[in-house]
mmCIF file of all heavy atoms in Angstrom:
data_model
loop_
_atom_site.group_PDB
_atom_site.id
_atom_site.type_symbol
_atom_site.label_atom_id
_atom_site.label_comp_id
_atom_site.label_asym_id
_atom_site.label_seq_id
_atom_site.Cartn_x
_atom_site.Cartn_y
_atom_site.Cartn_z
ATOM 1 N N GLU J 56 105.036 -41.943 -207.973
ATOM 2 C CA GLU J 56 106.044 -42.019 -206.918
ATOM 3 C C GLU J 56 106.112 -40.661 -206.246
ATOM 4 O O GLU J 56 106.127 -39.636 -206.931
ATOM 5 C CB GLU J 56 107.423 -42.342 -207.488
ATOM 6 C CG GLU J 56 107.677 -43.784 -207.753
ATOM 7 C CD GLU J 56 109.120 -44.051 -208.159
ATOM 8 O OE1 GLU J 56 109.847 -43.111 -208.528
ATOM 9 O OE2 GLU J 56 109.509 -45.218 -208.110
ATOM 10 N N ALA J 57 106.127 -40.669 -204.926
ATOM 11 C CA ALA J 57 106.230 -39.425 -204.156
ATOM 12 C C ALA J 57 107.127 -39.683 -202.952
ATOM 13 O O ALA J 57 107.201 -40.811 -202.467
ATOM 14 C CB ALA J 57 104.849 -38.958 -203.710
ATOM 15 N N PRO J 58 107.809 -38.661 -202.470
ATOM 16 C CA PRO J 58 108.717 -38.858 -201.342
ATOM 17 C C PRO J 58 108.010 -39.257 -200.048
ATOM 18 O O PRO J 58 108.633 -39.868 -199.178
ATOM 19 C CB PRO J 58 109.442 -37.527 -201.206
ATOM 20 C CG PRO J 58 108.641 -36.542 -201.967
ATOM 21 C CD PRO J 58 107.861 -37.294 -202.985
ATOM 22 N N ASP J 59 106.724 -38.923 -199.924
ATOM 23 C CA ASP J 59 106.002 -39.244 -198.695
ATOM 24 C C ASP J 59 104.500 -39.103 -198.937
ATOM 25 O O ASP J 59 104.064 -38.621 -199.986
ATOM 26 C CB ASP J 59 106.452 -38.327 -197.546
ATOM 27 C CG ASP J 59 106.432 -36.853 -197.936
ATOM 28 O OD1 ASP J 59 105.399 -36.385 -198.461
ATOM 29 O OD2 ASP J 59 107.455 -36.180 -197.728
ATOM 30 N N ASP J 60 103.720 -39.549 -197.943
ATOM 31 C CA ASP J 60 102.261 -39.502 -198.053
ATOM 32 C C ASP J 60 101.746 -38.072 -198.209
ATOM 33 O O ASP J 60 100.789 -37.838 -198.947
ATOM 34 C CB ASP J 60 101.604 -40.127 -196.812
ATOM 35 C CG ASP J 60 101.804 -41.629 -196.719
ATOM 36 O OD1 ASP J 60 102.212 -42.255 -197.726
ATOM 37 O OD2 ASP J 60 101.551 -42.179 -195.635
ATOM 38 N N GLU J 61 102.384 -37.128 -197.528
ATOM 39 C CA GLU J 61 101.933 -35.741 -197.603
ATOM 40 C C GLU J 61 102.057 -35.188 -199.020
ATOM 41 O O GLU J 61 101.161 -34.505 -199.512
ATOM 42 C CB GLU J 61 102.714 -34.864 -196.620
ATOM 43 C CG GLU J 61 102.415 -35.146 -195.160
ATOM 44 C CD GLU J 61 103.227 -36.303 -194.583
ATOM 45 O OE1 GLU J 61 104.091 -36.870 -195.296
ATOM 46 O OE2 GLU J 61 102.996 -36.658 -193.420
ATOM 47 N N THR J 62 103.161 -35.482 -199.680
ATOM 48 C CA THR J 62 103.362 -35.004 -201.046
ATOM 49 C C THR J 62 102.362 -35.655 -201.998
ATOM 50 O O THR J 62 101.776 -34.978 -202.845
ATOM 51 C CB THR J 62 104.806 -35.281 -201.506
ATOM 52 O OG1 THR J 62 105.707 -34.648 -200.587
ATOM 53 C CG2 THR J 62 105.052 -34.770 -202.913
ATOM 54 N N ALA J 63 102.175 -36.953 -201.857
ATOM 55 C CA ALA J 63 101.201 -37.655 -202.708
ATOM 56 C C ALA J 63 99.806 -37.083 -202.493
ATOM 57 O O ALA J 63 99.073 -36.826 -203.460
ATOM 58 C CB ALA J 63 101.217 -39.149 -202.402
ATOM 59 N N THR J 64 99.444 -36.847 -201.252
ATOM 60 C CA THR J 64 98.119 -36.305 -200.948
ATOM 61 C C THR J 64 97.963 -34.902 -201.505
ATOM 62 O O THR J 64 96.919 -34.557 -202.071
ATOM 63 C CB THR J 64 97.880 -36.319 -199.424
ATOM 64 O OG1 THR J 64 98.010 -37.677 -198.967
ATOM 65 C CG2 THR J 64 96.502 -35.797 -199.076
ATOM 66 N N ALA J 65 98.988 -34.075 -201.385
ATOM 67 C CA ALA J 65 98.932 -32.712 -201.927
ATOM 68 C C ALA J 65 98.714 -32.752 -203.438
ATOM 69 O O ALA J 65 97.888 -31.997 -203.979
ATOM 70 C CB ALA J 65 100.212 -31.953 -201.602
ATOM 71 N N ALA J 66 99.429 -33.623 -204.130
ATOM 72 C CA ALA J 66 99.277 -33.735 -205.591
ATOM 73 C C ALA J 66 97.867 -34.161 -205.962
ATOM 74 O O ALA J 66 97.256 -33.605 -206.887
ATOM 75 C CB ALA J 66 100.297 -34.731 -206.139
ATOM 76 N N LEU J 67 97.320 -35.113 -205.224
ATOM 77 C CA LEU J 67 95.981 -35.604 -205.548
ATOM 78 C C LEU J 67 94.893 -34.612 -205.153
ATOM 79 O O LEU J 67 93.854 -34.533 -205.816
ATOM 80 C CB LEU J 67 95.766 -36.972 -204.914
ATOM 81 C CG LEU J 67 96.694 -38.035 -205.521
ATOM 82 C CD1 LEU J 67 96.708 -39.290 -204.683
ATOM 83 C CD2 LEU J 67 96.296 -38.332 -206.959
ATOM 84 N N LEU J 68 95.133 -33.827 -204.122
ATOM 85 C CA LEU J 68 94.191 -32.756 -203.779
ATOM 86 C C LEU J 68 94.167 -31.699 -204.884
ATOM 87 O O LEU J 68 93.099 -31.207 -205.263
ATOM 88 C CB LEU J 68 94.563 -32.112 -202.444
ATOM 89 C CG LEU J 68 94.189 -32.906 -201.199
ATOM 90 C CD1 LEU J 68 94.804 -32.260 -199.960
ATOM 91 C CD2 LEU J 68 92.684 -33.021 -201.056
ATOM 92 N N GLN J 69 95.342 -31.347 -205.404
ATOM 93 C CA GLN J 69 95.391 -30.402 -206.520
ATOM 94 C C GLN J 69 94.614 -30.950 -207.714
ATOM 95 O O GLN J 69 93.830 -30.233 -208.336
ATOM 96 C CB GLN J 69 96.839 -30.130 -206.941
ATOM 97 C CG GLN J 69 97.588 -29.221 -206.032
ATOM 98 C CD GLN J 69 99.008 -28.946 -206.526
ATOM 99 O OE1 GLN J 69 99.481 -29.555 -207.480
ATOM 100 N NE2 GLN J 69 99.687 -28.027 -205.860
ATOM 101 N N LEU J 70 94.846 -32.222 -208.023
ATOM 102 C CA LEU J 70 94.160 -32.849 -209.151
ATOM 103 C C LEU J 70 92.649 -32.846 -208.940
ATOM 104 O O LEU J 70 91.895 -32.430 -209.822
ATOM 105 C CB LEU J 70 94.661 -34.284 -209.335
ATOM 106 C CG LEU J 70 93.970 -35.099 -210.418
ATOM 107 C CD1 LEU J 70 94.223 -34.503 -211.792
ATOM 108 C CD2 LEU J 70 94.428 -36.548 -210.359
ATOM 109 N N GLY J 71 92.200 -33.288 -207.799
ATOM 110 C CA GLY J 71 90.765 -33.332 -207.512
ATOM 111 C C GLY J 71 90.139 -31.959 -207.483
ATOM 112 O O GLY J 71 88.983 -31.787 -207.882
ATOM 113 N N GLY J 72 90.894 -30.971 -207.046
ATOM 114 C CA GLY J 72 90.383 -29.608 -206.961
ATOM 115 C C GLY J 72 90.030 -28.999 -208.309
ATOM 116 O O GLY J 72 89.232 -28.056 -208.375
ATOM 117 N N VAL J 73 90.605 -29.515 -209.375
ATOM 118 C CA VAL J 73 90.283 -29.011 -210.716
ATOM 119 C C VAL J 73 88.868 -29.412 -211.119
ATOM 120 O O VAL J 73 88.213 -28.718 -211.895
ATOM 121 C CB VAL J 73 91.328 -29.507 -211.742
ATOM 122 C CG1 VAL J 73 90.981 -29.092 -213.161
ATOM 123 C CG2 VAL J 73 92.713 -29.011 -211.360
ATOM 124 N N GLY J 74 88.397 -30.546 -210.580
ATOM 125 C CA GLY J 74 87.009 -30.935 -210.790
ATOM 126 C C GLY J 74 86.733 -31.937 -211.890
ATOM 127 O O GLY J 74 85.581 -32.251 -212.152
ATOM 128 N N ASN J 75 87.770 -32.492 -212.511
ATOM 129 C CA ASN J 75 87.546 -33.432 -213.600
ATOM 130 C C ASN J 75 87.510 -34.889 -213.172
ATOM 131 O O ASN J 75 86.987 -35.733 -213.899
ATOM 132 C CB ASN J 75 88.627 -33.264 -214.673
ATOM 133 C CG ASN J 75 88.491 -31.947 -215.393
ATOM 134 O OD1 ASN J 75 87.432 -31.604 -215.890
ATOM 135 N ND2 ASN J 75 89.578 -31.187 -215.425
#
Side-chain angles (χ1 to χ4, degrees):
E56 278 187 344
D59 50 50
D60 291 346
E61 291 84 3
T62 303
T64 302
L67 294 167
L68 283 171
Q69 284 182 352
L70 176 64
V73 176
N75 291 308

